[in-house]
Amino acid sequence: MENVENEREARDRDFLRRCMALSRHVSTKGLSCREVAHKAAASPAPGYYISYDYALRIVGGGKSAEIRGSMPRQRNEEIRRRVREITRKRGTSKGRALTMVLESGASRFFISPKRAERMFYEYLNYKRTGGAVR
């Protein structure tokens, strides 16, 4: 469980960094906080924020790979699709293809728009109040 929390924290940290970079970069375009959060969530992510062992279960497609929620399902399908493509094109093993996929980053953060908004607003509020927790 600790690993999952660390991975989620890393994802959230990277996502918020992307939000801040976008808000600085596009401030002259007048995007709302909501729009910044949505753009950041849809932008490429440095990784999938899951362990190799968990990703291996996803690729195997067993019962343990079944998951609720649209975003995790989409993430898992992207991983499966990319592994299939690499094994087909390069003739490499699933394990090696999976390593390549995990090391190459994800197409997006796989955070729902609503969750992305909430995370960004909470972060902005935290910064505005000088780090005071409400």
Side-chain angles (χ1 to χ4, degrees):
M1 190 60 139
E2 181 182 320
N3 231 4
V4 171
E5 289 174 16
N6 291 340
E7 290 159 355
R8 185 174 295 134
E9 287 173 13
R11 181 205 63 189
D12 293 354
R13 193 172 40 253
D14 289 344
F15 166 73
L16 291 171
R17 280 189 193 124
R18 184 69 49 85
C19 285
M20 295 310 294
L22 279 171
S23 64
R24 279 192 298 274
H25 179 70
V26 297
S27 61
T28 57
K29 295 181 183 177
L31 290 181
S32 69
C33 290
R34 180 177 187 261
E35 292 167 322
V36 167
H38 289 199
K39 272 182 143 349
S43 69
Y48 287 98
Y49 307 99
I50 58 174
S51 70
Y52 178 85
D53 290 338
Y54 183 73
L56 199 54
R57 290 195 305 267
I58 291 168
V59 171
K63 192 149 180 92
S64 62
E66 293 176 15
I67 192 162
R68 292 184 201 193
S70 171
M71 290 295 136
R73 234 187 339 268
Q74 289 175 31
R75 177 202 61 210
N76 294 359
E77 183 49 42
E78 179 173 293
I79 292 169
R80 284 187 202 105
R81 178 184 49 75
R82 290 182 65 196
V83 166
R84 276 193 311 267
E85 288 172 3
I86 291 171
T87 56
R88 190 183 75 245
K89 287 180 182 176
R90 298 187 184 185
T92 187
S93 70
K94 274 188 182 179
R96 178 68 185 128
L98 179 58
T99 298
M100 293 166 73
V101 167
L102 295 178
E103 290 176 351
S104 66
S107 66
R108 61 185 174 188
F109 279 92
F110 295 101
I111 299 172
S112 73
K114 187 173 227 115
R115 171 95 174 111
E117 287 174 42
R118 187 170 63 244
M119 287 171 61
F120 190 43
Y121 281 122
E122 286 172 0
Y123 175 77
L124 292 175
N125 187 53
Y126 176 82
K127 295 298 277 182
R128 184 181 56 79
T129 61
V133 179
R134 291 181 163 221

